[in-house]
PDB file of all heavy atoms in Angstrom:
ATOM      1  N   VAL W1356      96.659 112.481  80.762  1.00 98.00           N
ATOM      2  CA  VAL W1356      96.227 112.490  79.338  1.00 98.00           C
ATOM      3  C   VAL W1356      97.441 112.974  78.447  1.00 98.00           C
ATOM      4  O   VAL W1356      98.211 113.810  78.777  1.00 98.00           O
ATOM      5  CB  VAL W1356      95.007 113.525  79.121  1.00 98.00           C
ATOM      6  CG1 VAL W1356      94.519 113.564  77.637  1.00 98.00           C
ATOM      7  CG2 VAL W1356      93.813 113.000  79.937  1.00 98.00           C
ATOM      8  N   THR W1357      97.431 112.359  77.147  1.00 98.00           N
ATOM      9  CA  THR W1357      98.406 112.895  76.221  1.00 98.00           C
ATOM     10  C   THR W1357      97.600 113.369  74.986  1.00 98.00           C
ATOM     11  O   THR W1357      96.508 112.719  74.740  1.00 98.00           O
ATOM     12  CB  THR W1357      99.459 111.934  75.801  1.00 98.00           C
ATOM     13  OG1 THR W1357      98.858 110.762  75.398  1.00 98.00           O
ATOM     14  CG2 THR W1357     100.422 111.640  77.015  1.00 98.00           C
ATOM     15  N   THR W1358      98.021 114.293  74.384  1.00 98.00           N
ATOM     16  CA  THR W1358      97.510 114.694  72.949  1.00 98.00           C
ATOM     17  C   THR W1358      98.652 114.876  71.976  1.00 98.00           C
ATOM     18  O   THR W1358      99.733 114.910  72.435  1.00 98.00           O
ATOM     19  CB  THR W1358      96.660 116.011  73.163  1.00 98.00           C
ATOM     20  OG1 THR W1358      97.559 117.128  73.473  1.00 98.00           O
ATOM     21  CG2 THR W1358      95.629 115.868  74.266  1.00 98.00           C
ATOM     22  N   ASN W1359      98.246 115.064  70.777  1.00 98.00           N
ATOM     23  CA  ASN W1359      99.235 115.399  69.848  1.00 98.00           C
ATOM     24  C   ASN W1359      98.461 116.128  68.658  1.00 98.00           C
ATOM     25  O   ASN W1359      97.291 116.243  68.687  1.00 98.00           O
ATOM     26  CB  ASN W1359      99.997 114.088  69.269  1.00 98.00           C
ATOM     27  CG  ASN W1359      99.044 113.191  68.556  1.00 98.00           C
ATOM     28  OD1 ASN W1359      98.073 113.556  67.803  1.00 98.00           O
ATOM     29  ND2 ASN W1359      99.271 111.865  68.747  1.00 98.00           N
ATOM     30  N   PRO W1360      99.217 116.753  67.690  1.00 98.00           N
ATOM     31  CA  PRO W1360      98.608 117.521  66.754  1.00 98.00           C
ATOM     32  C   PRO W1360      97.566 116.770  65.857  1.00 98.00           C
ATOM     33  O   PRO W1360      96.569 117.283  65.395  1.00 98.00           O
ATOM     34  CB  PRO W1360      99.792 118.015  65.860  1.00 98.00           C
ATOM     35  CG  PRO W1360     100.920 118.015  66.764  1.00 98.00           C
ATOM     36  CD  PRO W1360     100.792 116.884  67.708  1.00 98.00           C
ATOM     37  N   SER W1361      97.788 115.490  65.708  1.00 98.00           N
ATOM     38  CA  SER W1361      96.875 114.690  64.899  1.00 98.00           C
ATOM     39  C   SER W1361      95.602 114.574  65.669  1.00 98.00           C
ATOM     40  O   SER W1361      94.469 114.535  65.154  1.00 98.00           O
ATOM     41  CB  SER W1361      97.540 113.266  64.582  1.00 98.00           C
ATOM     42  OG  SER W1361      98.696 113.378  63.901  1.00 98.00           O
ATOM     43  N   LEU W1362      95.658 114.263  66.944  1.00 98.00           N
ATOM     44  CA  LEU W1362      94.470 114.138  67.786  1.00 98.00           C
ATOM     45  C   LEU W1362      93.617 115.512  67.866  1.00 98.00           C
ATOM     46  O   LEU W1362      92.454 115.435  67.886  1.00 98.00           O
ATOM     47  CB  LEU W1362      94.849 113.615  69.185  1.00 98.00           C
ATOM     48  CG  LEU W1362      95.284 112.162  69.173  1.00 98.00           C
ATOM     49  CD1 LEU W1362      95.790 111.856  70.612  1.00 98.00           C
ATOM     50  CD2 LEU W1362      94.132 111.038  68.895  1.00 98.00           C
ATOM     51  N   ILE W1363      94.381 116.627  67.924  1.00 98.00           N
ATOM     52  CA  ILE W1363      93.769 117.917  68.026  1.00 98.00           C
ATOM     53  C   ILE W1363      93.060 118.047  66.646  1.00 98.00           C
ATOM     54  O   ILE W1363      91.821 118.521  66.643  1.00 98.00           O
ATOM     55  CB  ILE W1363      94.807 119.063  68.140  1.00 98.00           C
ATOM     56  CG1 ILE W1363      95.482 118.973  69.500  1.00 98.00           C
ATOM     57  CG2 ILE W1363      94.151 120.399  67.875  1.00 98.00           C
ATOM     58  CD1 ILE W1363      94.579 119.341  70.681  1.00 98.00           C
ATOM     59  N   ALA W1364      93.673 117.744  65.567  1.00 98.00           N
ATOM     60  CA  ALA W1364      92.997 117.864  64.182  1.00 98.00           C
ATOM     61  C   ALA W1364      91.780 116.977  64.215  1.00 98.00           C
ATOM     62  O   ALA W1364      90.668 117.497  63.661  1.00 98.00           O
ATOM     63  CB  ALA W1364      93.971 117.582  63.130  1.00 98.00           C
ATOM     64  N   LYS W1365      91.868 115.796  64.713  1.00 96.00           N
ATOM     65  CA  LYS W1365      90.679 114.894  64.662  1.00 96.00           C
ATOM     66  C   LYS W1365      89.554 115.480  65.499  1.00 96.00           C
ATOM     67  O   LYS W1365      88.391 115.255  65.226  1.00 96.00           O
ATOM     68  CB  LYS W1365      91.156 113.572  65.257  1.00 96.00           C
ATOM     69  CG  LYS W1365      90.305 112.338  65.013  1.00 96.00           C
ATOM     70  CD  LYS W1365      90.875 111.096  65.623  1.00 96.00           C
ATOM     71  CE  LYS W1365      89.844 110.000  65.909  1.00 96.00           C
ATOM     72  NZ  LYS W1365      90.465 108.975  66.670  1.00 96.00           N
ATOM     73  N   SER W1366      89.851 116.215  66.548  1.00 96.00           N
ATOM     74  CA  SER W1366      88.828 116.761  67.431  1.00 96.00           C
ATOM     75  C   SER W1366      88.011 117.850  66.673  1.00 96.00           C
ATOM     76  O   SER W1366      86.887 118.134  66.966  1.00 96.00           O
ATOM     77  CB  SER W1366      89.369 117.288  68.708  1.00 96.00           C
ATOM     78  OG  SER W1366      89.986 118.550  68.526  1.00 96.00           O
ATOM     79  N   GLY W1367      88.671 118.500  65.663  1.00 97.00           N
ATOM     80  CA  GLY W1367      88.086 119.553  65.098  1.00 97.00           C
ATOM     81  C   GLY W1367      87.863 120.775  65.890  1.00 97.00           C
ATOM     82  O   GLY W1367      87.105 121.743  65.519  1.00 97.00           O
TER      83      GLY W1367
END
Side-chain angles (χ1 to χ4, degrees):
V1356 175
T1357 55
T1358 66
N1359 63 38
S1361 303
L1362 289 171
I1363 295 288
K1365 193 173 156 195
S1366 76

